[in-house]
Amino acid sequence: MTKDFAVPPVVFPSGGSSVGANVQQRRFPATPFQPPRPSSSAIPFMSFDIGSAAASSATPAGPFGGTIASSSSFGGGGSSSFEDEEPLLDELGIHPDQIWKKTRSILNPFRINQSVHKDSDLSGPIFLYLALCLFQLLAGKIQFGVILGWIVVSSIFLYVVFNMLAGRNGNLNLHTCTSLVGYSLLPVVVLSAVSLFVPQGAGPIRFVLAAVFVLWSTRACATLVVSLADGGEEHRGLITYACFLIYTLFSLLVIF
Amino acid sequence: MAEMYNNMGPQPGMPRPPGNPDPGPFGNPFTGAGSGFIRGGLGAYGERILGSSSEYVQSNISRYFSDPQYYFQVNDQYVRNKLKVVLFPFLHRGHWTRISEPVGGRLSYKPPIYDINAPDLYIPFMAFGTYVVLAGLSLGLNGKFTPEALNWLFVKGLVGWFLQVMLLKVTLLSLGSGEAPLLDIVAYGGYAYAGLCLASFAKIIWGYSYYALMPWTCLCTGIFLVKTMKRVLFAEVRSYDSSKHHYLLLFLALVQFPLLIWLGNISVNWLF
C-alpha cells in the first residue's frame, strides 16, 4: 500500500551526541515545526510563528499579532490586525463621552436635557453606584450590597408604578427605568461626598442638605421618566411622589 | 398541499384569543394593559402559558385576582379626596356605596377616577412606602438606623398588611361569602398605612403628639373599615343577620387598635 500523501521528513538537528543513546530522552527541536508554506496559495492561511521566526509576507507586523489575529480570524483573511480590533470599551458597550454627556445633563438642576437619555445604558449607573459606595466607604459604612439591592428594588417599583398608572399606552421598559434611576442618583452621590465634610450626627444642616439634594434628584428622575416614556403626563405628580420616596430612602443611607 | 400549509401556517404561533365575554373598559388581566405585565413577568413562557390555558383556569384566575390595572386608574384629585376620606371619615358627607355600571351584561364597578368610594392600589402602595421611609427616619433619629433594621421594618409592615387582609377576609368569610375580589381586600387593608404615616410623621416632629394621634388614627381607620365593609357585606352577602354583622364590624374596628399600635411602635424588636 503506497502512501498517497507526502509526509515531510522531520529532522531534528542533533546536539552532537549519538542518536541511539538518546532514544528515551526527548529532544526539543531548536526550531519549531514549520508546516509547508506554499508560495502562492488559493486559501490564505497564517503561519504559526512563535518567537522571532521569520515572518512571511502574509503575516502582519509583530510576533504576537500573528497568533492573536490568527486565533481570532481562523482560516479567514490575513488583514485583521491588532490595530484593527475594536477598542475594549467599545466592545464592552461603554461609551465614556455618552456617559459624561448624560451625567452633565443632570448636573444642571433647572434644565435637564432629555434627548441625550433616549438610548439607555447601564454602565453610567454602575459607575455612579461605585462612586456612591466609595464615598460611603470613606464615611466608614460598607454598604455595597445594600445600595445595589435598593437600586434594583426601587427601579422595579418605579417600573411597576409607572406602567400601571400610564395604563394601556405606558411603554417604560425596565432597562430604561433602571438607567434613569441610576443616573438620577448623581445628586445623592454629591450629597454623600459633601456630607463627608459636614459634622457627624443628626444635626439640622444635614437634613437641609439632604432635602435639597433629594429634591434635585426627584425633579431629575421625574422629568426624565415622564418625558421619555408615553402616558405619564397626566400622572406627573403621582410619579414624582414615587421618585421622591426612592431618593429619600437613599438619602437615609447617607445621613445616618 | 400548499393550501393546507397556508391554512395551518399562522395558527401555532398566534395565541388563541381567550374568548372572554366582557372585557370591561380597561380589559381583563389577560388582554388589557396589565396583561403585558403578567406575560412579561413570566418571560418567554408567559405567552405560551397564558395564551393556551383553558377558559376554566382563566376564569378562575380572574375571579381570584382581578385586573390590577383597574386599581391604578387614579388622578391627583382622586388621591387628595380619598386621603381626606381615609383620614377623616366622619367628614365624608356623601354615601359610601360604590357606583356600579352594567358592562356587557355583568355588573361591574366604576373605576376610581369616577367614584370616590372605589378602592385603589396607588394609595396603599405609596402609604406603605412612606411608612417604611418614615420608620427609617425615626430609627435614625434615635440613633438605631442600619439598613438591616430597615429591611426588618419592611417585613414587619408586610406582615401587618397581611394580618389586616386576613382579618377582613375572615370577617367576610364568617358572614357567609368571601367573594369580594382579593385585590379589593388588599386595597382596603392598605389604607390603614395612610393614618400610620400621619402618626409617625407627628411623632418625628414632636414626641408627645404621638399619644394623641395614635388613638385618633386607630379610630379613623376603624370607622373607615366599618363603613366600607358594611357596604361590601350588603353587596355580597345574601342574608342579612343584623346582630352578627354588627358584632363582627365592631370587632373589626376594635382590633385596629392593637394592630396599628404594634405597627406604629417603630423599633428593631419583633414585638415591642
Side-chain angles (χ1 to χ4, degrees), chain B residues 59-237:
Chain B
S59 66
N60 270 355
I61 291 182
S62 45
R63 188 152 58 97
Y64 291 125
F65 191 71
S66 50
D67 176 26
Q69 181 65 51
Y70 166 85
Y71 299 94
F72 277 95
Q73 294 160 223
V74 294
N75 59 356
D76 274 348
Q77 194 197 13
Y78 169 82
V79 168
R80 251 180 294 148
N81 290 339
K82 188 74 177 191
L83 276 179
K84 272 193 275 189
V85 169
V86 170
L87 293 176
F88 308 103
F90 39 85
L91 288 180
H92 185 213
R93 292 286 164 234
H95 58 88
W96 287 76
T97 47
R98 289 168 75 174
I99 310 173
S100 64
E101 55 178 2
V103 169
R106 206 181 53 159
L107 222 54
S108 77
Y109 292 110
K110 278 206 169 148
I113 321 183
Y114 305 117
D115 181 13
I116 189 65
N117 293 316
D120 75 309
L121 275 179
Y122 175 80
I123 294 184
F125 273 117
M126 290 302 138
F128 184 72
T130 314
Y131 165 72
V132 170
V133 167
L134 283 176
L137 204 58
S138 82
L139 268 187
L141 285 172
N142 296 335
K144 289 190 256 163
F145 179 83
T146 64
E148 289 76 27
L150 201 62
N151 294 339
W152 200 233
L153 272 171
F154 178 78
V155 172
K156 181 175 169 185
L158 277 183
V159 167
W161 199 344
F162 178 72
L163 284 177
Q164 189 87 285
V165 166
M166 277 296 112
L167 183 73
L168 292 172
K169 194 79 181 171
V170 160
T171 309
L172 277 183
L173 275 176
S174 69
L175 286 173
S177 100
E179 274 171 18
L182 181 64
L183 283 185
D184 269 16
I185 312 251
V186 167
Y188 293 135
Y191 281 122
Y193 283 97
L196 260 182
C197 290
L198 190 66
S200 300
F201 187 64
K203 188 176 188 183
I204 289 174
I205 300 213
W206 185 43
Y208 293 110
S209 60
Y210 178 71
Y211 296 105
L213 265 178
M214 205 58 209
W216 168 268
T217 302
C218 300
L219 198 64
C220 287
T221 311
I223 295 179
F224 173 78
L225 280 178
V226 160
K227 295 217 165 163
T228 323
M229 282 293 120
K230 197 162 170 196
R231 291 297 178 277
V232 172
L233 286 176
F234 268 148
E236 302 283 338
V237 173

Side-chain angles (χ1 to χ4, degrees), chain A residues 214 218 243-253 255, chain B residues 133 137:
Chain A
V214 161
T218 311
C243 296
F244 175 72
L245 280 183
I246 293 176
Y247 291 110
T248 317
L249 209 58
F250 282 109
S251 73
L252 283 182
L253 278 181
I255 308 177
Chain B
V133 167
L137 204 58

Side-chain angles (χ1 to χ4, degrees), chain A residues 37-224:
Chain A
R37 202 180 302 151
S39 55
S40 68
S41 57
I43 310 171
F45 94 108
M46 312 303 305
S47 70
F48 290 71
D49 286 338
I50 304 179
S52 58
S56 74
S57 56
T59 53
F64 292 105
T67 50
I68 296 176
S70 56
S71 64
S72 67
S73 62
F74 182 61
S79 59
S80 71
S81 65
F82 185 58
E83 285 88 14
D84 282 350
E85 260 185 51
E86 268 189 68
L88 179 66
L89 285 184
D90 271 354
E91 244 184 87
L92 289 177
I94 304 176
H95 310 288
D97 53 340
Q98 206 187 20
I99 295 179
W100 176 237
K101 249 193 284 187
K102 288 189 186 181
T103 312
R104 221 179 40 197
S105 77
I106 304 200
L107 271 179
N108 180 6
F110 298 110
R111 198 178 34 163
I112 297 163
N113 183 11
Q114 298 122 356
S115 52
V116 298
H117 284 269
K118 272 214 184 355
D119 43 347
S120 55
D121 74 310
L122 286 183
S123 43
I126 289 185
F127 177 68
L128 283 174
Y129 155 72
L130 287 175
L132 180 61
C133 293
L134 171 73
F135 288 125
Q136 290 291 88
L137 196 61
L138 286 176
K141 311 172 199 165
I142 305 181
Q143 286 165 348
F144 285 84
V146 168
I147 298 180
L148 187 63
W150 285 13
I151 289 180
V152 170
V153 167
S154 52
S155 68
I156 293 179
F157 172 73
L158 188 62
Y159 166 71
V160 166
V161 167
F162 184 87
N163 278 337
M164 283 299 188
L165 277 178
R168 196 171 280 270
N169 47 359
N171 66 348
L172 186 69
N173 62 337
L174 194 54
H175 192 259
T176 311
C177 189
T178 312
S179 166
L180 292 177
V181 167
Y183 272 111
S184 308
L185 267 184
L186 174 70
V188 179
V189 175
V190 176
L191 169 70
S192 71
V194 164
S195 72
L196 286 175
F197 300 104
V198 173
Q200 257 290 7
I205 185 168
R206 282 182 89 99
F207 289 119
V208 168
L209 262 182
V212 167
F213 284 102
V214 161
L215 285 175
W216 179 6
S217 255
T218 311
R219 184 161 189 279
C221 189
T223 320
L224 285 171

